[in-house]
Amino acid sequence: MSVPTRLTLTTVNLDTPDPAALARFYVRLLGWQIKVEEADDVILHHADGGVGLSFQRERAYVRPTWPAQPGRQQMSMHLEIGVEDLDAAVAHALACGATLAEFQPQDDVRVCLDPDGHPFCLWLMH
């Protein structure tokens, strides 16, 4: 199927009760820069370009549960972050304010939770 016009994925948006606080966590984690900062929306971008991250205020935010559990708020997505040294990346994420998820499904992946409970995977690039 052909697309009738050019479509470019520019940003992944995460809901949060506090956009500025969550954005600053990801600035520390990824070393990215804040591109736009407003009361209800903060956008980060990498200096080399590519898809950015946006943090949008959700006043009725409910922290997701991972792994999914019946009757509990489920995650709707997660971020995949490739790393060269898994132990060093996990230590860095924890120092930035992440927590290590209790359940770890793979040996070469570590599931962490950001301060608002969004899961993200640190995976060993081979």
Side-chain angles (χ1 to χ4, degrees):
M1 171 175 24
S2 71
V3 177
T5 186
R6 181 177 176 188
L7 301 174
T8 303
L9 178 65
T10 60
T11 310
V12 173
N13 194 28
L14 295 176
D15 290 343
T16 175
D18 188 343
L22 191 57
R24 282 172 176 62
F25 164 79
Y26 280 98
V27 164
R28 291 188 305 273
L29 181 71
L30 300 172
W32 290 14
Q33 301 168 350
I34 293 176
K35 181 177 180 181
V36 174
E37 184 167 7
E38 298 172 353
D40 292 331
D41 191 46
V42 180
I43 301 171
L44 304 184
H45 78 277
H46 187 282
D48 294 337
V51 176
L53 282 174
S54 175
F55 307 92
Q56 178 178 314
R57 186 177 313 279
E58 174 54 63
R59 296 188 195 295
Y61 180 79
V62 176
R63 187 179 180 93
T65 301
W66 191 89
Q69 298 174 21
R72 306 265 321 263
Q73 178 69 36
Q74 296 182 7
M75 69 169 186
S76 58
M77 62 158 294
H78 67 275
L79 302 176
E80 295 279 338
I81 302 170
V83 302
E84 294 176 351
D85 182 329
L86 193 54
D87 292 335
V90 169
H92 172 67
L94 297 178
C96 290
T99 56
L100 191 61
E102 194 171 310
F103 175 68
Q104 297 294 326
Q106 297 167 267
D107 291 337
D108 59 349
V109 174
R110 290 296 172 269
V111 179
C112 295
L113 306 174
D114 73 20
D116 287 342
H118 300 102
F120 63 92
C121 293
L122 302 173
W123 62 276
L124 191 56
M125 297 185 302
H126 300 277

